[in-house]
Amino acid sequence: MDRHPRDSDRISVLVADITTLKVDAIVNAANNSLVGGGGVDGAIHNAAGPQLWEECRRIGGCPTGEACITRGYRLAARWIIHTVGPIWQGGDDGEDDLLACCYRNSLNLGRQYGIKSIAFPAISAGVYGFPMERACRIALREMKAFQKNNSEIEIIAVCFSNGAYQCYQDAMREL
Ligand code: APR
């Protein structure tokens, strides 16, 4: 995985299908029911196989802003951290804070499980309508804050388009 010039110490940004990454954990942009869906949620469930759905059903659900962890099953990643981002309502309904909680809670949960490399999609920036420029700044701010005390953990921001990648690179320059 080649590093990009503007990547900070242990935060990388790349364009990829997150289900293909060989990292300790990938993060899923789930919904409150955890039963799967479209977007990255659908891709992860399709790649991980039916046992993932079984484990998610046993967990039963996840509140917005929180995170839970399952095995990765058929994925190269050992773990999947499921987090539920806020649905964009215009920005005055606490969406920024809830999105920040998704990253913070996912990173802390990964640390509890001894994870040394973790890859995030752009939580809420798809179906949930969160503006990408705003979402990536929240993501990078939380990643950088976490890494101050956890520099041994590699964090990867995974983009699914060149447009998203450019947003992250622009935000990386500013932060
Ligand atoms: N790898 C990496 N990123 C991906 C992939 C993939 N395979 N597929 C989609 N993405 C990107 C999207 O382009 C977007 O930038 O992930 C980001 C998040 O988009 P969504 O998957 O739509 O997630 P979100 O906006 O958080 O909406 C969650 O969508 O799929 C349903 O069940 C899910 O109800 C939940 C909602």
Side-chain angles (χ1 to χ4, degrees):
M1 198 174 304
D2 59 318
R3 289 189 182 290
H4 298 272
R6 277 186 286 279
D7 290 354
S8 79
D9 305 343
R10 305 275 288 151
I11 299 175
S12 307
V13 183
L14 55 92
V15 179
D17 173 348
I18 200 168
T19 65
T20 65
L21 298 184
K22 292 177 178 48
V23 289
D24 290 347
I26 62 171
V27 177
N28 181 24
N31 58 53
N32 297 116
S33 70
L34 290 183
V35 294
V40 73
D41 194 7
I44 288 173
H45 274 269
N46 288 340
Q51 289 174 290
L52 173 59
W53 184 83
E54 289 295 330
E55 187 172 1
C56 286
R57 197 170 53 85
R58 286 196 297 274
I59 294 170
C62 181
T64 300
E66 297 194 16
C68 62
I69 193 165
T70 67
R71 305 295 304 278
Y73 297 106
R74 295 180 188 158
L75 287 170
R78 183 174 175 203
W79 303 103
I80 306 167
I81 292 174
H82 306 260
T83 191
V84 181
I87 296 172
W88 182 251
Q89 312 273 11
D92 298 328
D93 202 26
E95 297 98 319
D96 287 6
D97 290 343
L98 279 169
L99 185 61
C101 286
C102 288
Y103 287 95
R104 215 175 299 148
N105 289 329
S106 298
L107 288 163
N108 288 331
L109 185 55
R111 183 180 49 202
Q112 286 169 33
Y113 277 73
I115 284 161
K116 295 298 181 215
S117 54
I118 182 168
F120 285 89
I123 309 287
S124 281
V127 164
Y128 280 0
F130 209 110
M132 180 63 81
E133 294 75 12
R134 192 169 171 145
C136 68
R137 280 163 178 74
I138 292 167
L140 289 172
R141 196 177 58 232
E142 292 302 322
M143 292 171 181
K144 284 175 176 276
F146 177 82
Q147 269 206 340
K148 282 197 174 66
N149 304 315
N150 301 278
S151 57
E152 76 287 356
I153 297 179
E154 179 176 11
I155 302 173
I156 301 155
V158 184
C159 304
F160 210 46
S161 70
N162 291 327
Y165 174 80
Q166 202 49 60
C167 278
Y168 270 89
Q169 289 300 335
D170 293 345
M172 193 74 100
R173 266 195 295 274
E174 290 166 22
L175 294 174

